[in-house]
Amino acid sequence: MTVLLLIAAGMVAGLAGSLLGVGGGVVLVPLLVLGFKLPVEEAVPASLMCVVAGSCAAAASYVDKRLSDIRLGLTLELATVMGAILGGLVAVYIAPAMVAVVFGLFALYVGLQILLVRSPKGEAVQDRYTPENYPLGVSGSFVAGGLSALLGVGGGPLKVPLMSYGMGVPFKVASATSSLMIGVTGAASVASYAWRGHLKLALVSPLIVGVLAGAHGGSRLMPYVSTAVLKKLFAGLLLVVAVQMLWKGGAGLWPSILK
C-alpha cells in the first residue's frame, strides 16, 4: 500500500511540476514530510531525484513544441548550478525545522507575488519578446540554485516568476524553460546528499515511477491550459504549501526558542 501511495504522490508532483515548471519538489517535499512523516533530510534528496526525472520527461516535449527558450535557459542555468553546489555543501549545517520555515516563507512570498503583481507581457506565447534585465536573472538564478539544494524544489518556484516578472518572458515560456533547467539544477543539488548517504533508493524508486507518468501527462496538457489558469494554480499551490510548512517548521523551532 505504501508503494502505491508513493507512486500516486509522485504522479501528483509530476503533473503539477510539468504544468507549472516547478519540477514537483514544491509539492513532493510537503507530501513526504507531512503525509508520510519522513524527516526533511530524507525528503529533500528524494524530491531532488524526482525533479531530475520529471525534467527529463517534460523538457523534451516542450523543446519539440518550441515552448522552451533554450538560449535563456543555458545562460541562467550556469548561475543556478553554482548556487546549487554551494547550497548542497551548507545544507548539512542547517536545522531541518529552519529549512521548513524558509521553505514556507519562500512559497508564501512567491504565491502572493503571482497573485498581486501583473505580468508586463501579454499572455500569448506566440508574442515576440526579448528577455530583459539579465543581471537580475543571473543573480536570482544563483539564489534559486541555493534554495534548490536546501529545499529540494529544483529552483523552479523562483525561476518561473523571475523570468516572467523580472525578465519579461511570457509565463508559459518561463514555465517550459524552467522545466528544461531544473533537471540540471536537481542533479547538481542531489550529489552532496548522495555522498553523505541521505538518498534512499527504496523511497525514490516508486516516486520516480509516478513522477514520470505525471510529468508526461502534464507536458501534453500544458499548451492547452490558459495562462491565467496556470498562474492561479501556481499561486494557490504555493500558498497551501506555505501554510503547511510554516506550521511544521514552527512546531519544530518553538521548543528550542523557549529554552
Side-chain angles (χ1 to χ4, degrees):
M1 177 60 97
T2 302
V3 171
L4 293 177
L5 289 175
L6 287 171
I7 292 175
M11 289 181 68
V12 172
L15 179 65
S18 61
L19 271 176
L20 305 174
V22 298
V26 73
V27 178
L28 198 52
V29 171
L31 276 177
L32 294 176
V33 173
L34 303 175
F36 291 88
K37 309 302 181 184
L38 291 175
V40 172
E41 57 269 25
E42 291 185 13
V44 168
S47 172
L48 288 170
M49 281 297 296
C50 293
V51 165
V52 176
S55 173
C56 293
S61 176
Y62 290 145
V63 171
D64 184 60
K65 292 181 174 67
R66 299 184 183 276
L67 280 173
S68 297
D69 189 328
I70 297 176
R71 179 179 296 179
L72 175 62
L74 291 175
T75 301
L76 298 184
E77 189 58 21
L78 290 173
T80 309
V81 168
M82 289 189 289
I85 293 172
L86 179 61
L89 292 175
V90 303
V92 68
Y93 303 107
I94 301 177
M98 182 61 70
V99 173
V101 170
V102 173
F103 191 114
L105 291 173
F106 168 68
L108 179 65
Y109 170 76
V110 176
L112 292 175
Q113 179 82 358
I114 292 171
L115 285 178
L116 300 177
V117 179
R118 183 178 296 274
S119 175
K121 294 291 179 181
E123 294 197 352
V125 174
Q126 292 81 8
D127 284 351
R128 290 183 173 273
Y129 70 95
T130 301
E132 307 162 354
N133 207 350
Y134 270 94
L136 174 65
V138 170
S139 58
S141 294
F142 181 85
V143 174
L147 288 174
S148 167
L150 288 173
L151 309 177
V153 298
L158 180 58
K159 283 191 281 191
V160 172
L162 176 68
M163 286 185 280
S164 181
Y165 296 94
M167 302 185 71
V169 177
F171 190 85
K172 283 190 177 181
V173 176
S175 296
T177 304
S178 174
S179 291
L180 179 69
M181 291 190 286
I182 54 180
V184 180
T185 307
S189 303
V190 79
S192 60
Y193 288 98
W195 181 263
R196 294 194 296 268
H198 290 162
L199 184 62
K200 309 297 182 183
L201 295 181
L203 169 65
V204 170
S205 300
L207 287 172
I208 286 181
V209 171
V211 165
L212 289 174
H216 179 72
S219 64
R220 290 184 173 273
L221 182 61
M222 196 263 265
Y224 305 104
V225 182
S226 73
T227 303
V229 170
L230 286 176
K231 287 183 177 180
K232 289 177 181 177
L233 287 173
F234 190 93
L237 171 69
L238 290 178
L239 293 178
V240 170
V241 167
V243 172
Q244 293 175 324
M245 295 305 286
L246 286 172
W247 181 270
K248 175 75 174 180
L253 288 177
W254 187 248
S256 62
I257 293 175
L258 290 178
K259 290 181 180 179

